[in-house]
Amino acid sequence: MADVGELLMSVLSTIRVPKPGDRVHKDECALSFSSPESEGGLYVCMNSFLGLGSQYVDRHHARTGQKAYLHITRTRKAKEDDGNSGSGHPPKKKPTRLAIGIEGGFDVEQEQYEEDVKVVILPDRQEVTSEDLATMPDVVRERVSLSMAGIMAADSVSHTLQVQQWDGEVRQESKHAADLKQLDNGVKIPPSGWRCEVCDLQENIWMNLTDGKVLCGRRYFDGSGGNNHALLHYQETGYPLAVKLGTITPDGADVYSYDEDDMVLDSKLPEHLAHFGIDMMTMEKTERTMTELEIAVNQRVGEWEVIQESGTTLRPLFGPGLTGMKNLGNSCYLNSVMQVLFTIPDFQSKYVSNIDKIIDEAPSDPTQDFKTQGDQIGIAPQMFKALVGRGHPEFSTNRQQDAQEFLLHFINMVERNCRSGSNPSEAFRFLVEERIVCQQTQKAKYTQRVDYIVQLPVPMDQATNTGEHSFQLQEAERRREEGDSSAPTVRAQIPFTACMAALSEPEILTDFWSSAVQAKTTATKTTRFASFPDHLVIQIKKFTFGLDWVPKKLDVSIDVPDTLDLSGLRATGQQPGEELLPEVAPPPLMTPDVEVKAPVLDDSTVSQLCEMGFPLEACRKAVYYTGNTGIDAAMNWTMSHMDDPDFSAPLVLPGCSSGPGTTPTESLSEEHLATIVSMGFSRDQATKALRATSNVLDRAVDWIFSHLDDLESMDVSEGGRSAAESEGGRDPPPGPRVRDGPGKYELFAFISHMGTSTMCGHYVAHIKKDQQWVIFNDQKVCASEKPPKDLGYLYFYRRVAE
């Protein structure tokens, strides 16, 4: 051991003991999906604490000169069969607690391992065990032992990112509880027989803890529940806390804080209830708590069993392209999307075939590098999830998300990180042509915009089983509410052709401002494909809003075809002899004073949006930017801009120092500029688009595609540089780099959602590989027996070569 001892002594100065704040990657390779359970184990650099798979540790040594690594290997212990190992089956024990990994909650798989740890010295991979250290000099033994113990004791980055236990019933003390204002108005609440003071509803009843008002709660996603009177009362008075009557027991009750927008604890609840004559110690529970309602929602098994193909023995599959991904705590949306993306040749060649070049060019901390983490399609991609979600208000959390929103977010990240070289997101990019015809003059206006997903509406009135479907559905829901597990699943059957017709048919615009007649009139809008992408993504718009703007999921079955011919939806451009609408802007929604004042907005529309819970300034923007054209247009604008960083910022009008279109060039985001330039536009055009949209990237991209005619004639930008100067004397045609070809496609994958909302439930992917459908259910990968193609949410088609 003398030689090894001398080696350790020679590298002792490079061996560090982890300090608080150090990022220790001891569960996952920074360059691949290798882990201590993988063949060869994991090597943790004892200087930088980066984890490296066996295939990459030599390369790291050669690049950094580091020699001392902690080698960690784990062997899975055999566990007894619990009788619930069948693929896709829901847990046998019915959950009684809204939690994961906690007694009474939803089950998670917990593996047990045997662990072996030793120090390895490169380049010859000489091993040093704890027993070997005991024979070495004190200075060596103490430093190395402290480093080993510190690494093993530290919370790994992966562990801090992963939620092994989640308790949805843990609530925080409300900031209003301690000093809650209660009115001395003489109100006394009886122990039973409550009704809403506005609509006489007797279920889902809440009492405001400030004034004792007894009102109904929110309307649920499916239209049941209350009529929002308790919420409206808060919006009128600002009284923040309410208790759900019927849930009060000596142990507590459901208390909601409208101001904090969450279920909360009220440590003074007995006192607050006594103020209105309610003795908490004598109350009995008569209604389901909010937790019980949410558990029931997550236990619906109708589509769950069909989509996961429960009840059949599925044959597990292994090999290249058949690796499952662990659920990191509500990360099934990410798993499903990434499994599909990495079956597409563009993504494979960018992030898999090119892996050696990516690793050679990776920064010193590859865990923060997008290209490197893009290769992490493996067992548990915690680093990848952390990177793609960093800074995003939703994807950085462990909450369930919308797979379609994540797909667009990921495509956006790919766009930003592929400014040079190949860009795999081009596989999805296509141009949409919108033709608007003024019905009074028959003059037309053509605009183009870029898109990545086709969104298909679901025309419920076109269901083929409408006759007795309504009665059957209500009866099935009633039986499920009563706990009848044998209640049949009844869903509306919608022809796919009806969905396509709803997309392609002309849309009537009743409040269109026509530049030809200088007034509002009726127009028709027709949408067509200006180009067909290599890979087409179709979203079935199952998550929608009712007439009262209550969100809901449509439980429908759609006969989605295996092949698709969209050739008939090819855009034709301006027709022979067709006149175009004059390029004249509509009058501004503001007073004509020299000094810009508040815009003239439709107060009723603003109020309706505010009642739905949106911030006031966002509601004012929605009404302003849709030209006072009504609640439908304003609501659509609101839903499309909820992720804007300035969504809740005050409305600033053109002409103000910080208004849209007046952003100085030096304050523009270089990242935004580079993203738009990478799409085929010049820097001057990108600058103009960002200045016109207050430096908001998504809006700038929309703006640029609706002003292509203006950009074609643009000689000198506001920045003072001509297009010729910025592009070396050549004026490239404006527009994105889009691929085009025949509009014929074949289905190769689809992602399905189980549950009643994008914020809960589960996602599963089905992918066609070598003419066989394969189900990817997080870590489980099996041959599919009955792919539920009629229940999908996102469908992926690839072009058929002619």
Side-chain angles (χ1 to χ4, degrees):
M1 292 304 300
D3 291 341
V4 176
E6 292 175 3
L7 275 174
L8 273 178
M9 180 65 79
S10 67
V11 300
L12 198 61
S13 61
T14 67
I15 296 178
R16 296 176 51 225
V17 178
K19 303 188 301 293
D22 281 337
R23 296 166 59 86
V24 179
H25 300 270
K26 65 178 185 179
D27 285 336
E28 185 179 6
C29 174
L31 300 172
S32 71
F33 55 80
S34 298
S35 70
E37 300 96 74
S38 303
E39 184 178 357
L42 190 73
Y43 293 78
V44 180
C45 174
M46 299 180 77
N47 180 269
S48 66
F49 309 122
L50 279 178
L52 301 146
S54 179
Q55 68 273 44
Y56 296 118
V57 66
D58 290 310
R59 188 178 301 192
H60 184 265
H61 159 69
R63 185 174 179 181
T64 65
Q66 296 298 329
K67 295 183 177 181
Y69 296 82
L70 189 64
H71 186 211
I72 308 173
T73 58
R74 296 193 193 120
T75 305
R76 183 178 298 157
K77 293 180 180 179
K79 62 179 181 179
E80 297 180 2
D81 186 4
D82 59 2
N84 190 30
S85 58
S87 173
H89 287 285
K92 281 192 173 182
K93 291 183 178 179
K94 184 176 181 179
T96 58
R97 186 175 181 84
L98 188 63
I100 297 174
I102 292 175
E103 180 65 27
F106 291 83
D107 289 346
V108 294
E109 294 181 358
Q110 297 289 348
E111 303 287 356
Q112 299 295 323
Y113 296 93
E114 293 179 350
E115 199 166 58
D116 181 64
V117 179
K118 61 175 72 74
V119 175
V120 173
I121 308 297
L122 267 66
D124 298 327
R125 300 204 182 195
Q126 292 174 276
E127 298 181 351
V128 183
T129 65
S130 299
E131 292 76 14
D132 298 329
L133 281 175
T135 66
M136 295 184 181
D138 291 347
V139 64
V140 175
R141 182 178 67 254
E142 290 178 6
R143 169 64 71 87
V144 176
S145 297
L146 285 173
S147 179
M148 293 175 66
I151 291 172
M152 297 308 296
D155 281 337
S156 70
V157 173
S158 298
H159 179 75
T160 58
L161 296 174
Q162 184 175 1
V163 177
Q164 293 291 357
Q165 289 188 345
W166 169 75
D167 194 342
E169 297 182 37
V170 173
R171 297 170 182 172
Q172 303 298 318
E173 178 78 5
S174 171
K175 63 183 180 182
H176 302 289
D179 302 308
L180 183 68
K181 175 185 176 182
Q182 292 191 285
L183 304 184
D184 292 322
N185 53 11
V187 171
K188 299 298 177 184
I189 305 300
S192 61
W194 310 292
R195 294 174 179 266
C196 174
E197 297 179 18
V198 176
C199 65
D200 277 348
L201 200 68
Q202 299 181 60
E203 296 179 350
N204 193 21
I205 302 300
W206 297 72
M207 182 191 77
N208 191 284
L209 287 172
T210 294
D211 61 3
K213 282 283 186 181
V214 176
L215 300 162
C216 61
R218 296 176 190 255
R219 186 177 287 112
Y220 299 147
F221 58 85
D222 59 356
S224 64
N227 293 314
N228 294 327
H229 289 134
L231 171 62
L232 293 173
H233 182 63
Y234 159 71
Q235 292 173 343
E236 293 170 0
T237 64
Y239 299 156
L241 298 185
V243 61
K244 185 176 184 182
L245 298 175
T247 68
I248 303 172
T249 69
D251 297 324
D254 276 356
V255 178
Y256 188 82
S257 171
Y258 291 103
D259 178 47
E260 297 160 285
D261 194 21
D262 206 353
M263 302 298 297
V264 295
L265 293 178
D266 178 3
S267 57
K268 292 188 175 182
L269 184 60
E271 175 185 331
H272 292 154
L273 292 173
H275 181 85
F276 296 107
I278 298 176
D279 183 356
M280 184 171 167
M281 302 307 294
T282 62
M283 297 296 290
E284 294 183 358
K285 181 172 170 292
T286 59
E287 277 209 31
R288 287 192 292 180
T289 65
M290 300 305 292
T291 295
E292 290 169 337
L293 288 171
E294 192 164 347
I295 290 174
V297 163
N298 282 284
Q299 276 295 100
R300 287 183 58 182
V301 297
E303 60 183 2
W304 184 287
E305 291 182 339
V306 175
I307 290 175
Q308 292 196 127
E309 302 187 55
S310 301
T312 59
T313 302
L314 299 180
R315 176 170 55 89
L317 299 177
F318 306 93
L322 298 170
T323 303
M325 298 171 68
K326 282 184 180 177
N327 193 318
L328 308 180
N330 285 327
S331 66
C332 54
Y333 68 92
L334 178 149
N335 295 352
S336 299
V337 169
M338 300 312 296
Q339 290 284 13
V340 174
L341 289 184
F342 275 78
T343 64
I344 295 173
D346 293 82
F347 285 87
Q348 291 177 345
S349 60
K350 180 70 177 181
Y351 298 115
V352 180
S353 304
N354 208 23
I355 185 59
D356 288 335
K357 183 174 184 291
I358 291 174
I359 291 175
D360 288 339
E361 296 176 355
S364 58
D365 185 0
T367 66
Q368 305 301 307
D369 180 56
F370 182 83
K371 288 188 294 183
T372 306
Q373 295 307 311
D375 177 54
Q376 298 236 34
I377 305 305
I379 300 301
Q382 290 100 332
M383 296 180 198
F384 175 78
K385 181 178 183 294
L387 181 61
V388 297
R390 187 173 59 193
H392 192 281
E394 290 298 331
F395 300 128
S396 59
T397 71
N398 284 305
R399 293 191 292 268
Q400 184 63 279
Q401 304 297 338
D402 187 339
Q404 181 258 357
E405 291 181 2
F406 175 74
L407 174 59
L408 289 178
H409 171 71
F410 184 76
I411 288 175
N412 188 33
M413 291 199 71
V414 171
E415 294 278 12
R416 296 183 184 186
N417 287 272
C418 294
R419 295 164 185 158
S420 60
S422 62
N423 183 347
S425 65
E426 291 179 6
F428 300 121
R429 191 189 298 159
F430 61 95
L431 283 177
V432 175
E433 178 188 274
E434 291 183 345
R435 175 176 179 260
I436 299 179
V437 179
C438 169
Q439 294 301 290
Q440 191 167 338
T441 65
Q442 292 303 306
K443 294 183 178 180
K445 175 183 179 181
Y446 289 86
T447 59
Q448 286 190 345
R449 58 179 171 83
V450 73
D451 215 331
Y452 296 89
I453 295 179
V454 175
Q455 295 182 310
L456 284 188
V458 180
M460 296 298 292
D461 58 341
Q462 298 295 310
T464 58
N465 58 340
T466 51
E468 53 183 306
H469 167 257
S470 179
F471 172 76
Q472 291 176 341
L473 180 62
Q474 294 175 4
E475 179 65 14
E477 287 292 339
R478 182 190 65 79
R479 290 173 59 182
R480 276 197 292 268
E481 280 290 321
E482 295 174 354
D484 184 355
S485 59
S486 64
T489 299
V490 182
R491 53 177 58 93
Q493 297 173 8
I494 311 294
F496 182 78
T497 52
C499 300
M500 290 300 301
L503 173 73
S504 58
E505 289 176 354
E507 176 185 355
I508 304 299
L509 307 178
T510 56
D511 287 317
F512 175 72
W513 191 87
S514 171
S515 58
V517 297
Q518 294 287 297
K520 287 186 178 181
T521 184
T522 302
T524 58
K525 183 175 76 172
T526 307
T527 302
R528 293 291 184 267
F529 289 88
S531 68
F532 288 118
D534 287 350
H535 292 78
L536 183 72
V537 185
I538 293 179
Q539 176 196 14
I540 303 297
K541 296 181 69 175
K542 292 186 173 184
F543 301 101
T544 182
F545 291 87
L547 296 176
D548 51 5
W549 294 106
V550 175
K552 61 180 181 179
K553 178 182 174 181
L554 304 176
D555 189 13
V556 295
S557 169
I558 300 177
D559 58 338
V560 177
D562 290 318
T563 60
L564 198 59
D565 188 352
L566 302 179
S567 304
L569 296 180
R570 168 79 73 172
T572 57
Q574 185 178 356
Q575 303 299 299
E578 185 178 52
E579 290 188 57
L580 298 180
L581 286 166
E583 290 290 335
V584 180
L589 288 171
M590 62 180 71
T591 56
D593 303 55
V594 175
E595 179 184 358
V596 178
K597 297 181 181 178
V600 180
L601 302 177
D602 184 347
D603 290 338
S604 64
T605 305
V606 174
S607 298
Q608 288 181 67
L609 290 175
C610 287
E611 289 175 2
M612 297 175 196
F614 297 110
L616 173 61
E617 288 300 329
C619 300
R620 297 181 71 242
K621 285 183 187 176
V623 175
Y624 174 76
Y625 286 117
T626 55
N628 278 340
T629 54
I631 184 64
D632 289 352
M635 185 64 186
N636 289 334
W637 186 97
T638 303
M639 300 306 296
S640 300
H641 292 81
M642 288 181 65
D643 292 332
D644 291 355
D646 61 345
F647 180 66
S648 303
L651 171 63
V652 181
L653 302 175
C656 299
S657 59
S658 59
T662 64
T663 306
T665 303
E666 57 269 17
S667 69
L668 295 179
S669 165
E670 283 296 326
E671 184 178 11
H672 292 356
L673 284 168
T675 298
I676 297 177
V677 168
S678 72
M679 299 173 70
F681 297 97
S682 71
R683 183 180 177 87
D684 289 335
Q685 294 163 346
T687 298
K688 187 171 184 177
L690 286 169
R691 292 184 65 183
T693 55
S694 297
N695 201 25
V696 178
L697 178 61
D698 293 342
R699 279 198 251 155
V701 172
D702 290 339
W703 185 94
I704 205 168
F705 285 109
S706 62
H707 293 77
L708 290 179
D709 293 338
D710 297 338
L711 296 177
E712 286 177 355
S713 59
M714 186 176 129
D715 292 325
V716 180
S717 74
E718 291 83 346
R721 292 176 59 214
S722 69
E725 290 170 339
S726 62
E727 299 294 334
R730 293 183 297 107
D731 287 327
R737 287 190 290 269
V738 293
R739 305 171 188 176
D740 199 4
K744 296 182 178 179
Y745 296 92
E746 63 177 357
L747 183 69
F748 75 93
F750 61 95
I751 294 174
S752 308
H753 174 267
M754 295 153 278
T756 56
S757 164
T758 55
M759 308 312 292
C760 66
H762 185 57
Y763 286 97
V764 167
H766 283 77
I767 305 174
K768 199 171 188 179
K769 292 178 176 282
D770 299 325
Q771 301 305 309
Q772 177 189 38
W773 282 102
V774 178
I775 179 173
F776 290 80
N777 187 357
D778 287 332
Q779 201 167 346
K780 299 172 183 175
V781 180
C782 301
S784 173
E785 297 291 334
K786 296 179 180 179
K789 290 183 286 186
D790 61 322
L791 300 181
Y793 174 48
L794 297 176
Y795 292 88
F796 296 79
Y797 285 83
R798 58 189 166 215
R799 194 194 314 278
V800 177
E802 291 186 333

